[in-house]
C-alpha cells in the first residue's frame, strides 16, 4: 500500500444561507470551478494529473443533483476524461470523500485525487429533496431516524448537561472563531469572485462576536415541538431510565446553516515529485463507525474512539482535534467520553460559530486542522464528523 499525502486544502468563505449571503449569487458549479482553479495556481496543478474528483454533498437536489462532482469538472473546463463521484453520508460526507480518495491512492489506482464537498444551502435548502425518512414520521420511527435537533436534545439529557453548559459551548465557539478570524489563522481560506456583486468574498459571515450568555439564555428551545410530535416518546421508550427529554438546544447553540465549498488535493509521493511540492501532511488512517441512531449525532465520538483504538493511540497522543460541533451537546459528550482538554479541541471554533455547509464541512475542518498544526508547529491531528442516524467518520493526519 502506498502512502497518501495531502498537498493542499482550501475552502471558500462560509456565508449566510440567505439571499443576502455573499456567495448566494453563485451556483455550486461556479463555486467549485473557482476552487479548482485556485488549486491550479497555488500548487501548479495540471488537471491532466488528476485521476478523479470525489465530492460530498448532502442535498443532491436541483442544482446539486446529477453527480455534481462530474458536472463541476466539466463546467470548470477540466479534462472531459476526468471522472467524478458524489457521496452522501450526511454531514460527514466530505470526510468520506477524502477517505475514498485516499483508498484509491493507497491501492495504486490513482496518483492524484481532488476530494472535498459543497453545499449551497441558500440555493438548495435543507430537506428540499423531501426524503421520505424526514417527511413521514411513522417511517422515520420504524427506521429510528430522527432529525438532528432531537438527537442533540437526547444527548444533552443523557449527559446531564444544563442549558448553561450548552450555551457556554456555543459562546466559546463564537469567541474562538472570532479570534481566529481576526488573527488570520484560516490560511486555507481563498478568495471567491462574485462578479454579480463586483466583490471578492473572503469573509466568514456567521461569526457573532457580540454574542453574550444573556443573549443565548433568552433564546427559546428549538426542538420541543418535534419532541411533542413523537420524537420524545420514541426516545423515552428506548431509554427507560429517562423520565423526560430536556429540550436545551436553540438557534444559538446549534450549527449555523451556510453556503460553502472545500477541496483537498490528495496524492502519492510521485505527485509531489511531478509538482515539485513537499506535502503538507500524511493521511495516516481513516475510520467510519456508527453510534446509537436515536442520538443521531454522536457518531463522531464513536469514530474517534474506533480510530484511536485501531491505531493503538490514546487521546493524549493527538496534538489537536477538530470534532464536529453537531449541536453543543455533542461537544459536551465528547469531552466527557474522550477526556480531551479544551485547549486541544476545536481551538479556532466550530460550525456553531463558523457555519455548517453540510457536504463541505469535513473538508473545511481538514484545512483548518492543517492550518493550526502548521501555525502551532504541532504534528498529529484528528478530524471527525457526525452524519445523521448515528454515523460518523474520522481521519488521522500527521504533518510532514
Amino acid at each position: 500500500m502506498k502512502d497518501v499525502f495531502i498537498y493542499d486544502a482550501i475552502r471558500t468563505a462560509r456565508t449566510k444561507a440567505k439571499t443576502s449571503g455573499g456567495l448566494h449569487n453563485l451556483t455550486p458549479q461556479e463555486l467549485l470551478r473557482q476552487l479548482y482553479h485556485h488549486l491550479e495556481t497555488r500548487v501548479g496543478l495540471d488537471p491532466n494529473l488528476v485521476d478523479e474528483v470525489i465530492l460530498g454533498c448532502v442535498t443532491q437536489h436541483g442544482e446539486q443533483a446529477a453527480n455534481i462532482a462530474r458536472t463541476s469538472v466539466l463546467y470548470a473546463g477540466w479534462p472531459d476524461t476526468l471522472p467524478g463521484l458524489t457521496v452522501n453520508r450526511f454531514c460527514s460526507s466530505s470526510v468520506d470523500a477524502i477517505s475514498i480518495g485516499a483508498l484509491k491512492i493507497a491501492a495504486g489506482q490513482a496518483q492524484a485525487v481532488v476530494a472535498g464537498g459543497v453545499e449551497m444551502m441558500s440555493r438548495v435548502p435543507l430537506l428540499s429533496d423531501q426524503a421520505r425518512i424526514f417527511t413521514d414520521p411513522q417511517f422515520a420511527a420504524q427506521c429510528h431516524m430522527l432529525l438532528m435537533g432531537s438527537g442533540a436534545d437526547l444527548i444533552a439529557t443523557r449527559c446531564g448537561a444544563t442549558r448553561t453548559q450548552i450555551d457556554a459551548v456555543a459562546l466559546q465557539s463564537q469567541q474562538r472563531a472570532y479570534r481566529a478570524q481576526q488573527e488570520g489563522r484560516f490560511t486555507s481560506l481563498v478568495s471567491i469572485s462574485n462578479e454579480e456583486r463586483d466583490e471578492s468574498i473572503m469573509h466568514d459571515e456567521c461569526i457573532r462576536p457580540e454574542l453574550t450568555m444573556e443573549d443565548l439564555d433568552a433564546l427559546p428551545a428549538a426542538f420541543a415541538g418535534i419532541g411533542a410530535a413523537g420524537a420524545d416518546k420514541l426516545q423515552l421508550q428506548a431509554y427507560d431510565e429517562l423520565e423526560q427529554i430536556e429540550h436545551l438546544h436553540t438557534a444559538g447553540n446549534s450549527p449555523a446553516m451556510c453556503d460553502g465549498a472545500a477541496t483537498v488535493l490528495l496524492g502519492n509521493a510521485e505527485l509531489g515529485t511531478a509538482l515539485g511540492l513537499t506535502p503538507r501532511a500524511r493521511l495516516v488512517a481513516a475510520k467510519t463507525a456508527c453510534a446509537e441512531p436515536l442520538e443521531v449525532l454522536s457518531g463522531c465520538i464513536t469514530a474517534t474512539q474506533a480510530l484511536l483504538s485501531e491505531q493503538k493511540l490514546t487521546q493524549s497522543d493527538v496534538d489537536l482535534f477538530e470534532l464536529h460541533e453537531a449541536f453543543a451537546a455533542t461537544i459536551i459528550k465528547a469531552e466527557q467520553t474522550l477526556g480531551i482538554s479544551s485547549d486541544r479541541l476545536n481551538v479556532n471554533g466550530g460550525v456553531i460559530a463558523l457555519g455548517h455547509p453540510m457536504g463541505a464541512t469535513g473538508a473545511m475542518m481538514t484545512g483548518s486542522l492543517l492550518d493550526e498544526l502548521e501555525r502551532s508547529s504541532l504534528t498529529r491531528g484528528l478530524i471527525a464528523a457526525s452524519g445523521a442516524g448515528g454515523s460518523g467518520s474520522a481521519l488521522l493526519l500527521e504533518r510532514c
Side-chain angles (χ1 to χ4, degrees), residues 163-184:
R163 173 66 181 269
T164 298
Q165 290 173 316
I166 295 284
D167 285 343
V169 170
L171 185 64
Q172 178 175 265
S173 182
Q174 295 285 352
Q175 292 172 338
R176 288 181 168 185
Y178 181 64
R179 178 189 64 194
Q181 184 181 58
Q182 293 302 108
E183 295 179 1

Side-chain angles (χ1 to χ4, degrees), residues 5-347:
F5 299 100
I6 295 176
Y7 286 94
D8 207 0
I10 60 175
R11 71 170 176 94
T12 71
R14 307 187 209 201
T15 64
K16 293 178 180 178
K18 299 178 179 180
T19 55
S20 60
L23 296 175
H24 170 73
N25 305 86
L26 306 177
T27 65
Q29 288 81 3
E30 173 60 20
L31 208 57
L32 290 163
R33 182 190 72 83
Q34 293 196 39
L35 283 182
Y36 298 155
H37 290 173
H38 271 295
L39 284 177
E40 291 180 58
T41 57
R42 277 172 62 105
V43 300
L45 177 63
D46 178 354
N48 290 290
L49 294 175
V50 179
D51 295 290
E52 189 158 9
V53 172
I54 306 174
L55 299 178
C57 184
V58 176
T59 309
Q60 295 180 32
H61 175 72
E63 291 179 337
Q64 292 178 170
N67 190 5
I68 193 169
R70 171 61 173 160
T71 57
S72 64
V73 163
L74 296 172
Y75 181 84
W78 274 18
D80 291 349
T81 53
L82 181 53
L85 171 66
T86 306
V87 300
N88 180 7
R89 206 192 301 270
F90 300 103
C91 300
S92 67
S93 294
S94 57
V95 176
D96 289 284
I98 294 168
S99 178
I100 293 168
L103 284 171
K104 294 195 170 208
I105 292 166
Q109 298 175 10
Q111 174 179 259
V113 173
V114 173
V118 64
E119 207 80 38
M120 291 293 290
M121 300 181 77
S122 70
R123 299 177 69 98
V124 186
L126 176 67
L127 305 182
S128 60
D129 53 352
Q130 291 292 295
R132 183 185 177 191
I133 201 76
F134 295 127
T135 59
D136 181 340
Q138 280 192 321
F139 184 65
Q142 181 179 345
C143 298
H144 282 196
M145 191 79 170
L146 300 180
L147 287 168
M148 286 65 78
S150 294
D153 282 342
L154 175 61
I155 292 170
T157 303
R158 296 190 73 200
C159 286
T162 67
R163 173 66 181 269
T164 298
Q165 290 173 316
I166 295 284
D167 285 343
V169 170
L171 185 64
Q172 178 175 265
S173 182
Q174 295 285 352
Q175 292 172 338
R176 288 181 168 185
Y178 181 64
R179 178 189 64 194
Q181 184 181 58
Q182 293 302 108
E183 295 179 1
R185 294 188 182 188
F186 299 126
T187 55
S188 54
L189 177 59
V190 298
S191 177
I192 298 296
S193 175
N194 185 335
E195 293 185 0
E196 188 170 327
R197 297 188 180 192
D198 193 25
E199 291 179 337
S200 292
I201 309 301
M202 202 174 173
H203 182 77
D204 293 318
E205 296 177 349
C206 299
I207 302 170
R208 299 176 60 192
E210 77 289 348
L211 200 67
T212 66
M213 284 293 285
E214 290 73 23
D215 295 331
L216 289 164
D217 184 60
L219 296 172
F223 307 108
I226 298 174
D232 283 7
K233 181 180 179 180
L234 181 63
Q235 290 171 327
L236 291 172
Q237 286 174 343
Y239 303 100
D240 54 13
E241 73 276 12
L242 301 179
E243 295 182 1
Q244 65 180 27
I245 303 299
E246 301 292 339
H247 294 288
L248 303 179
H249 286 88
T250 70
N253 54 41
S254 302
M257 292 186 292
C258 72
D259 294 337
T263 53
V264 177
L265 176 60
L266 304 168
N268 57 20
E270 289 76 14
L271 179 67
T273 301
L275 297 177
L277 289 176
T278 299
R280 294 179 65 186
R282 182 171 71 93
L283 202 162
V284 178
K287 191 70 177 180
T288 299
C290 278
E292 300 173 59
L294 292 180
E295 286 194 346
V296 186
L297 302 162
S298 55
C300 66
I301 301 165
T302 303
T304 297
Q305 291 174 309
L307 182 54
L308 291 173
S309 175
E310 186 178 83
Q311 295 297 307
K312 296 180 173 53
L313 298 172
T314 69
Q315 57 83 16
S316 61
D317 296 316
V318 178
D319 297 313
L320 290 175
F321 290 84
E322 283 282 331
L323 298 188
H324 184 195
E325 280 182 354
F327 299 78
T330 307
I331 296 303
I332 292 175
K333 178 170 182 174
E335 290 174 336
Q336 290 180 356
T337 305
L338 300 172
I340 304 169
S341 58
S342 178
D343 62 341
R344 293 184 295 129
L345 174 60
N346 296 356
V347 297

